[in-house]
Amino acid sequence: MEALIPVINKLQDVFNTVGADIIQLPQIAVVGTQSSGKSSVLEALVGRDLLPRGTGVVTRRPLILQLVHVDPEDRRKTSEENDPNAWRNMRLYKGVDGEEWGKFLHTKNKIYTDFDEIRLEIEAETERVSGNNKGITDEPIHLKIFSPHVVNLTLVDLPGITKVPVGDQPKDIEVQIKDLIVKHISNPNSIILAVTAANTDMATSEALKVAREVDPDGRRTLAVVTKLDLMDAGTDAMDVLMGRVIPVKLGLIGVVNRSQLDINNKKTVANSIRDEYAFLQKKYPSLASRNGTKYLARTLNRLLMHHIRDCLPELKTRINVLAAQYQSLLSSYGEPVEDQSSTLLQLITKFAAEYCHTIEGTAKYIETTELCGGARICYIFHETFGRTLESVDPLGGLTTIDVLTAIRNATGPRPALFVPEVSFELLVKRQVKRLEEPSLRCVELVHEEMQRIIQHCSNYSTQELLRFPKLHDAIVEVVTSLLRKRLPVTNEMVHNLVAIELAYINTKHPDFADACGLMNNNIEEQRRNRMRELPSSVPRDKTAGGGSQGDQDVGTGNWRGMLKKGEEGVGGDKSMLQTSNPGSPQRGHAVNLLDVPVPVSRKLSAREQRDCEVIERLIKSYFLIVRKNIQDSVPKAVMHFLVNHVKDSLQSELVGQLYKAGLLDDLLTESEDMAQRRNEAADMLKALQKASQVIAEIRETQMW
């Protein structure tokens, strides 16, 4: 099981090569307030002075510290770093004894045997990214320490919790630091090392407080109590170390740090650990074996190994899922273009096929949120256009006065014995003309949908086009131009369909003849009913025309009757429709026969009502016949002149416009970031596959 931690270190190296943080690997996150002794604890675990020190916020970037135990007799194990010259390069450095060295990820293969240089490099790298204004950043520094005196561990040193900004720190420095800490300790695969000074109240420990926010059960939290030697005289940490004050499931471990004076006097970590052991034996003899830096290192090593063992199955699943996702992503980016002519022809053919399939409803990618392609065109024909035509009132915009005026104008100077046919044609053409506007709107809607299909194919069906933005734009331009050329042709045909209906009013149409016959029967039946209702004393010949003599005068256009009826209407019948007519003759005034007669609003005679009713019924009957024809013929014309024509000629149009030798290089130029994204996806896929192999090797050796 001891080999599990190097495996995690190897996985960390794999993902570091691609600069990715998509896998949350098991690690130990060190949390504590400023001056709580975090840095001293870490240096004690390493056995070396390597961390920057000072006042205020010193740790301003997360430091991912990997401790790798190496056998002093075989230090060539560093070849696992994929650098065959690592051992040779290490020999060139004059360090303490050559047994310990460090490597940063950002300096590649450079090896540090002088730990003062490591500290200076941490400071320089921190200022390079975070600046020198005490600000923080979440971009980590990766440092690996090789030594025969360490146990295998992966630790993350986080900025110390602070409350009040100092100097030129941001006002929200407390929030920034807390968010950064929570981001790392929220990783369910991490162990939280909460550092608290013994000379403070454990109940107010900020480290334990923030740890409980993400780990309320304490299953991942280990508490470290520092500065045991600085407690007030007469007090001790016995209750704290026994877990009586703040119980922590993974336990509490006390340590003794070097003081600032010790650091200034260059007291070594080894001497400090020896003095720590003596202090624990003297002050806490019964707990000495379960406290101290060495015990802390062994405990962390054991906890991390068990934690890794528990996390590996889920980690393997996560890696496999990500590998499949990146494989799919890499496939979508396509391979680098080798044969330009073949590639261009394939892309054009595929786009044309997908465009036609979208219209026919056989596309591979079918929308589930809205209608598109052929389905929307069908909806336009039978729902939008059909309902619009049905909502057109056959007599809309036509008043009774309009009908009566048309009848009179059609008779000329002679009184009419019958309803003139010319008035019917005049009025029905006016109504049929109203069908042209919704018909042309139907063409416009279908044209817009065919334009939308271009974008649909680009987004869902032919993602390869996204690699070549110039080719995509060129295809859109060609298809748009083709649609634009077909639009006036289709509009002209639809206009002609309405013009054809206006050109010849077919009163012999079977449906219209049946309607006329039925209407004549109804009118005759109504006339008989009125005749039966007349008193027997009234002679039948007096009812000729369906009214009195006065009505006959009005019905036959007699101006005296009209004038008389108009005067009666003004003086008596209040229910009659009134209009002001300055030109009308007034009682007691002479009548100027040269004035153009203007009809006075009045109550229609029985004959006028009957004539208007006949015309209105004829108009309605014929209009419904024409509307039915238009509703059937317009979709057919749109399909033939626009939809089907574009489908049939799209492939040849694209090839003719784009498949040219002089355009190949320009059209098949990839977008600027496509090559970079393909390389990144390939690197990530390679890293994931390598990580999967590492985990597979663990299973084969049954390390867990």
Side-chain angles (χ1 to χ4, degrees):
M1 189 182 295
E2 181 68 26
L4 288 177
I5 296 178
V7 168
I8 293 299
N9 290 340
K10 186 180 292 187
L11 290 177
Q12 184 72 58
D13 293 340
V14 168
F15 293 115
N16 286 344
T17 58
V18 292
D21 192 23
I22 59 173
I23 295 291
Q24 295 180 318
L25 296 173
Q27 56 193 11
I28 300 171
V30 185
V31 182
T33 58
Q34 288 184 24
S35 304
S36 62
K38 282 192 309 91
S39 298
S40 295
V41 171
L42 289 173
E43 288 181 338
L45 293 174
V46 177
R48 287 285 194 160
D49 293 327
L50 77 162
L51 299 177
R53 291 183 177 274
T55 58
V57 180
V58 177
T59 304
R60 297 188 287 127
R61 291 178 60 183
L63 174 65
I64 298 179
L65 180 62
Q66 292 177 278
L67 305 183
V68 181
H69 177 80
V70 293
D71 190 338
E73 297 180 359
D74 187 13
R75 293 190 294 267
R76 289 181 175 81
K77 288 185 178 179
T78 54
S79 61
E80 69 176 3
E81 299 298 307
N82 298 321
D83 181 12
N85 298 319
W87 170 249
R88 187 179 299 109
N89 294 337
M90 187 194 70
R91 292 257 184 160
L92 299 177
Y93 286 89
K94 301 298 182 181
V96 179
D97 57 1
E99 292 183 338
E100 302 170 299
W101 65 94
K103 290 182 64 176
F104 288 97
L105 176 64
H106 64 272
T107 59
K108 305 301 180 184
N109 294 322
K110 183 177 180 180
I111 295 176
Y112 296 81
T113 56
D114 186 346
F115 282 79
D116 288 335
E117 288 187 17
I118 292 178
R119 181 173 62 255
L120 293 175
E121 181 61 30
I122 293 175
E123 293 175 350
E125 180 65 10
T126 298
E127 291 190 1
R128 185 183 67 83
V129 176
S130 304
N132 54 8
N133 64 342
K134 300 296 183 181
I136 66 169
T137 181
D138 62 352
E139 183 178 344
I141 299 174
H142 294 267
L143 172 62
K144 184 176 291 188
I145 299 296
F146 299 86
S147 172
H149 308 301
V150 299
V151 295
N152 291 314
L153 287 176
T154 300
L155 305 112
V156 182
D157 185 21
L158 298 170
I161 301 172
T162 186
K163 291 292 185 181
V164 181
V166 296
D168 55 355
Q169 286 181 342
K171 293 182 179 180
D172 62 341
I173 187 68
E174 176 186 2
V175 177
Q176 290 186 23
I177 291 176
K178 183 175 180 181
D179 291 343
L180 177 59
I181 291 173
V182 170
K183 174 185 175 182
H184 282 268
I185 65 177
S186 296
N187 173 9
N189 295 335
S190 68
I191 294 176
I192 305 171
L193 189 64
V195 180
T196 304
N199 55 358
T200 61
D201 189 351
M202 287 289 291
T204 62
S205 171
E206 289 290 337
L208 290 174
K209 177 184 176 183
V210 72
R212 282 190 174 181
E213 291 180 7
V214 298
D215 183 32
D217 297 333
R219 298 180 182 275
R220 300 188 288 115
T221 303
L222 173 67
V224 175
V225 182
T226 62
K227 304 182 180 181
L228 290 176
D229 56 333
L230 299 182
M231 296 189 68
D232 294 338
T235 62
D236 60 30
M238 185 65 71
D239 290 341
V240 172
L241 297 177
M242 293 292 291
R244 297 169 185 162
V245 179
I246 301 292
V248 181
K249 290 189 177 180
L250 294 185
L252 294 96
I253 299 176
V255 297
V256 176
N257 301 336
R258 289 181 299 167
S259 65
Q260 188 61 45
L261 180 62
D262 293 335
I263 296 172
N264 295 339
N265 293 334
K266 304 296 183 181
K267 183 178 181 179
T268 64
V269 175
N271 291 336
S272 175
I273 292 176
R274 185 174 63 251
D275 292 344
E276 175 192 53
Y277 178 76
F279 174 83
L280 291 175
Q281 288 290 345
K282 177 181 178 181
K283 191 72 174 178
Y284 305 97
S286 61
L287 301 178
S289 61
R290 287 178 289 158
N291 289 278
T293 301
K294 290 187 176 181
Y295 180 77
L296 174 62
R298 292 195 302 270
T299 301
L300 290 175
N301 178 263
R302 174 177 54 82
L303 290 175
L304 187 58
M305 283 191 298
H306 286 281
H307 198 60
I308 292 172
R309 181 194 60 189
D310 296 337
C311 295
L312 274 180
E314 182 180 350
L315 190 62
K316 181 178 185 297
T317 302
R318 172 70 174 159
I319 289 174
N320 290 339
V321 170
L322 285 173
Q325 292 176 352
Y326 273 91
Q327 180 65 64
S328 176
L329 182 63
L330 187 60
S331 299
S332 69
Y333 292 153
E335 297 294 332
V337 178
E338 296 180 357
D339 188 344
Q340 290 185 330
S341 298
S342 176
T343 300
L344 179 59
L345 187 59
Q346 288 177 3
L347 290 174
I348 289 175
T349 302
K350 185 172 183 180
F351 179 87
E354 290 296 337
Y355 191 92
C356 296
H357 291 161
T358 303
I359 294 176
E360 296 165 359
T362 57
K364 181 179 179 181
Y365 298 92
I366 298 178
E367 279 279 6
T368 58
T369 57
E370 62 176 354
L371 293 177
C372 73
R376 182 176 282 273
I377 293 174
C378 178
Y379 182 86
I380 292 171
F381 286 157
H382 302 291
E383 298 293 334
T384 305
F385 178 59
R387 290 181 179 178
T388 301
L389 289 187
E390 291 173 1
S391 67
V392 178
D393 183 4
L395 301 176
L398 197 62
T399 65
T400 303
I401 293 299
D402 294 337
V403 177
L404 185 60
T405 302
I407 294 174
R408 288 177 173 175
N409 287 337
T411 60
R414 297 173 301 280
L417 295 176
F418 305 100
V419 178
E421 186 175 341
V422 176
S423 62
F424 162 71
E425 286 200 12
L426 175 68
L427 294 172
V428 80
K429 286 182 178 181
R430 171 179 166 181
Q431 298 306 102
V432 169
K433 183 68 176 175
R434 297 168 59 212
L435 297 176
E436 183 174 5
E437 182 179 352
S439 300
L440 293 176
R441 177 58 180 161
C442 176
V443 178
E444 183 181 351
L445 290 175
V446 174
H447 176 268
E448 290 175 358
E449 177 55 28
M450 296 191 72
Q451 192 73 33
R452 288 178 68 246
I453 296 176
I454 302 174
Q455 191 63 37
H456 172 82
C457 293
S458 300
N459 291 342
Y460 299 100
S461 305
T462 53
Q463 293 186 5
E464 294 91 338
L465 284 179
L466 301 179
R467 293 177 56 192
F468 312 108
K470 291 186 178 180
L471 175 59
H472 175 266
D473 294 342
I475 289 177
V476 171
E477 178 60 31
V478 170
V479 181
T480 301
S481 176
L482 178 60
L483 290 172
R484 193 185 305 119
K485 286 190 296 185
R486 298 307 301 173
L487 184 59
V489 177
T490 310
N491 282 335
E492 181 66 20
M493 182 60 197
V494 170
H495 172 77
N496 288 337
L497 289 176
V498 178
I500 289 170
E501 296 291 345
L502 295 173
Y504 181 65
I505 305 301
N506 183 17
T507 56
K508 290 295 184 180
H509 192 284
D511 295 341
F512 186 69
D514 293 343
C516 290
L518 181 61
M519 184 173 60
N520 289 335
N521 292 337
N522 291 339
I523 293 175
E524 182 63 23
E525 182 65 25
Q526 292 175 7
R527 190 186 70 80
R528 293 195 189 100
N529 291 338
R530 286 198 300 270
M531 292 288 290
R532 295 191 192 99
E533 294 173 358
L534 289 175
S536 57
S537 59
V538 179
R540 295 293 179 182
D541 56 354
K542 297 295 183 180
T543 63
S548 63
Q549 182 62 40
D551 290 340
Q552 290 181 0
D553 291 342
V554 175
T556 56
N558 187 304
W559 67 270
R560 294 189 186 88
M562 183 184 298
L563 177 60
K564 180 179 179 182
K565 201 68 177 179
E567 292 173 351
E568 292 174 354
V570 171
D573 193 348
K574 300 298 182 181
S575 65
M576 299 175 186
L577 203 60
Q578 304 288 330
T579 59
S580 174
N581 186 6
S584 299
Q586 303 294 326
R587 188 184 300 273
H589 292 75
V591 178
N592 185 359
L593 296 182
L594 296 179
D595 288 343
V596 177
V598 179
V600 180
S601 296
R602 55 184 172 73
K603 186 175 182 180
L604 299 180
S605 67
R607 177 175 177 175
E608 288 174 334
Q609 290 178 347
R610 185 178 69 249
D611 290 349
C612 290
E613 183 179 349
V614 167
I615 292 296
E616 288 175 353
R617 289 187 178 182
L618 290 174
I619 291 173
K620 184 175 182 180
S621 176
Y622 194 82
F623 180 88
L624 295 179
I625 294 172
V626 175
R627 185 174 72 182
K628 183 178 180 181
N629 293 341
I630 293 296
Q631 191 170 352
D632 178 64
S633 59
V634 167
K636 293 178 179 178
V638 174
M639 285 299 297
H640 176 72
F641 286 91
L642 181 61
V643 179
N644 289 342
H645 188 279
V646 171
K647 281 173 51 183
D648 296 340
S649 60
L650 180 59
Q651 170 81 11
S652 59
E653 189 77 14
L654 288 172
V655 172
Q657 294 287 338
L658 303 180
Y659 192 65
K660 299 176 181 179
L663 298 177
L664 289 177
D665 291 336
D666 187 50
L667 293 178
L668 294 181
T669 300
E670 287 189 317
S671 59
E672 295 179 358
D673 60 337
M674 182 58 68
Q676 179 182 352
R677 284 188 288 173
R678 185 191 299 109
N679 293 335
E680 290 175 353
D683 292 342
M684 180 58 68
L685 180 61
K686 183 178 179 181
L688 290 167
Q689 291 172 342
K690 187 174 181 181
S692 182
Q693 293 175 358
V694 171
I695 295 180
E697 292 173 2
I698 301 175
R699 295 188 67 92
E700 292 176 1
T701 56
Q702 297 181 351
M703 289 183 183
W704 67 61

